Amino acid sequence: MAGSKEDPLEYDKFILRQTFPKPEDVFTCIPPKISELSGDCLFVFDTNILLDSYKLSESSINDIEKIFRKLVKNDRIFIPAQVVREFGRNRSTALKDVFDLLHNQTSNHPSPIPNEATFRCPMLEHSPSYKALIESIDPLKNAVKEYKKCLKTLLNELKDWSWTDRVSKLYAELLVDRIIDHSKKDDEINSDLEWRITHNLPPGYKDKTKEDRGVGDLIIWHTILELGAKSKKHTLFVCNEEKPDWVIRSNNEIIGTREELRQEYFRVTSNYFSLISYSTFLSLMGAEKDTVNQAEKIEELESLDFVHVQQRVSTILQMLNEIISKYLSQSGYSATGFVFIRDNRLTELVSSFRRAREKYDAIIYSTTGNNFLLEMESMLLEIQSLNEQLGYHEVRMKRSGEREMSELRKYCSEFKNVYDRWEQWYLAGSP
């Protein structure tokens, strides 16, 4: 019987026997270099690769189109159905990022252009430089007016976006017939997922606190396994995402693919499996240097942003948790009768957390992570509001504030509970 959160599977003490049923494969499954595998292997694309193509220039898209057409012709490129479904859920983020970028320009456009009266300075009227300055004002006004008009037109175009851009058209033309799926039933997938979670086996077990228990990665994996078993070919999984249970990491750098995955693929297909980045894929396929450089910059920025925003969110939440924990540990006595959070960092930390949470939502595609953060943000806003009310009542001393103090302790306790669940999820390696 499949396990569940309520009915977990019993841990198998002999799990290594099932993970490595043929111990000799540990010695003999030695994959060639990636450059050697790439000559005749299959390429399977992850969701983030489809999304990252929207960030490349027109010339790079032309380059990628040539590569895709060649791989399609040679039957070497495949997209798991689960990847396409995740892409459908997340591609609006690409549109939102562009819209936000442009919309920010409307509020950050150049300062209002001065009129002649602003620079009215009779003593300089004889100066050619002064005359040139005055004469430059009208052209500048017209240029800014035209700039704002074009910006507004572009924003309106995005509001009525119909996905007729080069990348979307390329996908529609070339990738529809490259979509593949697995043949397993849902209960088979669920049983396998719980087995992997119980025994800490990839993929999916580090996403066990997600709402879907990490089933998306497991569906993709079974799709790859069936493709490899049918084709009897090596597979390179092109992926930029931080997949903690797919790879081996050291000093925040990926240094290889998890041995359990390589062995499982070899056992099923007698061939080799590995993960590679988008820039590595493009380089292997002979893309132009500028195209590879653009992909590398995207990966670098995503990696830096990913790590930075994770650390930023974690640090702020740790500080807030310390403040709230200290408050909850108080005896409830105060000379004024008002017991509330007196740490003056609270307001600024809540504001910092909200900014970090918005950044997290923009660059990290984690529904579970963002749901945790949204829930804590809602509680923190209530805590901040109640805390400010109690500070106000203490100064005026016109009411006891008992209701607010009771509510404050309730929200602080709820925050602690959610924080503890989030911390467990975060420390498990989830984004």
Side-chain angles (χ1 to χ4, degrees):
M1 181 181 294
S4 66
K5 293 180 183 179
E6 293 75 23
D7 179 29
L9 291 172
E10 182 180 353
Y11 185 84
D12 184 353
K13 296 184 289 294
F14 304 101
I15 184 60
L16 283 177
R17 185 181 299 161
Q18 295 192 54
T19 307
F20 303 101
K22 297 176 65 177
E24 60 270 22
D25 285 350
V26 176
F27 294 132
T28 60
C29 178
I30 309 297
K33 293 182 179 180
I34 297 295
S35 57
E36 297 173 13
L37 285 179
S38 65
D40 190 41
C41 72
L42 306 180
F43 292 101
V44 176
F45 281 61
D46 196 16
T47 310
N48 50 78
I49 301 301
L50 300 182
L51 293 169
D52 282 348
S53 292
Y54 286 98
K55 302 174 184 178
L56 298 173
S57 68
E58 186 77 8
S59 60
S60 292
I61 297 303
N62 292 335
D63 203 12
I64 289 170
E65 179 177 359
K66 296 175 185 176
I67 294 170
F68 278 21
R69 288 190 184 281
K70 182 177 179 180
L71 290 174
V72 167
K73 181 179 180 181
N74 294 327
D75 199 29
R76 294 182 60 199
I77 184 172
F78 296 92
I79 316 292
Q82 178 68 17
V83 165
V84 179
R85 294 181 179 111
E86 292 178 3
F87 171 74
R89 180 183 62 192
N90 292 317
R91 74 169 175 176
S92 58
T93 302
L95 182 63
K96 178 182 178 297
D97 289 345
V98 175
F99 189 90
D100 288 346
L101 176 66
L102 294 174
H103 188 270
N104 288 340
Q105 299 303 310
T106 64
S107 56
N108 297 323
H109 58 74
S111 301
I113 305 303
N115 54 40
E116 186 176 345
T118 305
F119 286 102
R120 186 66 178 165
C121 194
M123 66 177 290
L124 295 178
E125 288 181 351
H126 70 284
S127 168
S129 298
Y130 175 76
K131 291 178 181 178
L133 175 65
I134 297 301
E135 290 172 358
S136 71
I137 291 176
D138 283 342
L140 192 55
K141 283 182 179 179
N142 293 333
V144 170
K145 184 178 180 180
E146 182 63 21
Y147 165 80
K148 294 171 69 175
K149 178 182 176 181
C150 293
L151 197 56
K152 185 176 181 181
T153 300
L154 192 52
L155 285 170
N156 288 333
E157 184 178 330
L158 287 175
K159 291 177 182 178
D160 192 34
W161 194 253
S162 57
W163 298 105
T164 55
D165 56 276
R166 280 289 309 286
V167 174
S168 298
K169 286 182 177 180
L170 183 65
Y171 290 169
E173 179 187 353
L174 297 180
L175 300 185
V176 171
D177 293 334
R178 311 312 301 168
I179 299 173
I180 56 173
D181 211 344
H182 65 92
S183 62
K184 292 187 176 295
K185 296 179 180 179
D186 289 351
D187 58 350
E188 292 179 293
I189 293 291
N190 282 327
S191 294
D192 188 32
L193 177 64
E194 296 305 326
W195 184 77
R196 290 174 190 264
I197 288 174
T198 299
H199 300 95
N200 291 337
L201 290 174
Y205 80 92
K206 286 194 175 182
D207 289 334
K208 62 186 176 183
T209 55
K210 289 184 177 181
E211 291 174 322
D212 66 358
R213 303 275 282 166
V215 74
D217 276 1
L218 184 57
I219 291 172
I220 293 171
W221 178 237
H222 276 295
T223 305
I224 291 173
L225 286 177
E226 290 190 21
L227 173 67
K230 182 179 179 180
S231 66
K232 298 297 182 184
K233 287 191 173 184
H234 311 307
T235 293
L236 292 179
F237 185 35
V238 188
C239 175
N240 282 345
E241 187 183 9
E242 304 285 329
K243 288 186 177 293
D245 57 356
W246 289 67
V247 296
I248 306 165
R249 301 184 68 88
S250 177
N251 295 320
N252 204 40
E253 289 189 21
I254 295 173
I255 59 175
T257 304
R258 285 282 294 262
E259 185 67 17
E260 298 94 329
L261 296 175
R262 294 200 310 107
Q263 290 288 336
E264 186 175 0
Y265 188 86
F266 186 79
R267 189 164 63 249
V268 171
T269 71
S270 299
N271 282 278
Y272 302 111
F273 169 84
S274 189
L275 274 75
I276 60 172
S277 67
Y278 199 14
S279 61
T280 299
F281 162 76
L282 292 171
S283 180
L284 290 169
M285 293 296 99
E288 296 292 335
K289 185 176 181 179
D290 184 58
T291 302
V292 177
N293 288 342
Q294 286 186 45
E296 287 176 343
K297 288 179 181 178
I298 291 170
E299 291 161 15
E300 181 180 357
L301 288 173
E302 287 179 347
S303 178
L304 289 173
D305 282 349
F306 190 98
V307 174
H308 174 74
V309 75
Q310 279 185 312
Q311 293 174 342
R312 178 74 172 155
V313 166
S314 177
T315 299
I316 294 172
L317 282 176
Q318 285 176 11
M319 295 173 71
L320 285 165
N321 182 58
E322 289 172 4
I323 290 171
I324 289 172
S325 296
K326 183 178 179 180
Y327 158 73
L328 289 172
S329 68
Q330 293 176 2
S331 64
Y333 171 78
S334 169
T336 65
F338 288 86
V339 180
F340 58 96
I341 300 171
R342 297 181 182 274
D343 194 313
N344 55 19
R345 296 175 298 166
L346 177 66
T347 299
E348 180 56 36
L349 282 173
V350 171
S351 297
S352 297
F353 172 71
R354 295 185 72 187
R355 292 192 294 270
R357 205 276 306 158
E358 290 175 356
K359 184 71 172 176
Y360 181 101
D361 183 38
I363 67 174
I364 299 179
Y365 306 122
S366 173
T367 302
T368 302
N370 201 42
N371 284 343
F372 271 129
L373 301 186
L374 283 170
E375 190 174 1
M376 285 189 280
E377 180 180 315
S378 176
M379 293 174 182
L380 287 168
L381 291 175
E382 291 289 350
I383 290 169
Q384 180 182 337
S385 175
L386 288 164
N387 209 60
E388 290 173 351
Q389 291 177 47
L390 286 167
Y392 175 75
H393 293 326
E394 182 182 50
V395 172
R396 297 192 67 190
M397 297 295 289
K398 288 191 175 182
R399 51 179 294 188
S400 66
E402 289 183 5
R403 181 187 65 81
E404 288 85 354
M405 285 190 286
S406 175
E407 287 286 299
L408 180 60
R409 292 194 75 82
K410 183 190 79 170
Y411 278 110
C412 285
S413 296
E414 290 177 357
F415 171 84
K416 279 283 298 175
N417 289 334
V418 178
Y419 174 83
D420 289 343
R421 286 191 287 117
W422 169 83
E423 186 178 43
Q424 181 184 10
W425 173 80
Y426 177 69
L427 292 177
S430 301

